[in-house]
Amino acid sequence: MTYGHDDDAAPRIGRNIARARKARGLTQLQLAQRIPCSKSLVERGHQPATPSFTAGAARALNIRLGHLTGQPYEDPHRGRVHVTIPDIQRSMLS
């Protein structure tokens, strides 16, 4: 079993793992030792990320699993939109 049903899932998860790993100053070998697993090709998207590998990477990087998988989708603009709802409701009711 792997994450995602689209062709972009494996490369996206790999890029997210690479970004998080680099932000923590770790090499691929250091991350592999922390998971533990053999150094893999997941970051380049050549090998699909299994749920156990992705969960291990999230634990080793001390981040939420959703940060690596992109699930659930987090909309950075969500807060701004919802702030305006009370004003819109008042306008509609008046």
Side-chain angles (χ1 to χ4, degrees):
M1 178 178 172
T2 58
Y3 277 111
H5 298 287
D6 57 55
D7 293 336
D8 296 331
R12 181 183 63 245
I13 292 171
R15 282 191 304 271
N16 291 343
I17 291 171
R19 235 180 260 125
R21 174 185 60 77
K22 290 173 185 176
R24 284 152 184 78
L26 297 173
T27 65
Q28 287 183 346
L29 182 58
Q30 289 169 323
L31 177 60
Q33 290 169 339
R34 288 181 181 200
I35 290 177
C37 73
S38 61
K39 191 173 161 187
S40 73
L41 301 173
V42 170
E43 284 189 7
R44 290 188 233 144
H46 296 295
Q47 180 177 332
T50 63
S52 61
F53 175 84
T54 308
R59 266 192 312 279
L61 294 166
N62 197 29
I63 58 176
R64 291 176 320 160
L65 181 61
H67 182 80
L68 298 179
T69 63
Q71 300 296 324
Y73 175 72
E74 295 178 11
D75 184 356
H77 304 292
R78 180 180 168 98
R80 292 188 333 193
V81 171
H82 283 88
V83 167
T84 63
I85 291 175
D87 293 334
I88 294 169
Q89 288 174 330
R90 276 191 295 278
S91 287
M92 292 174 69
L93 294 173
S94 51

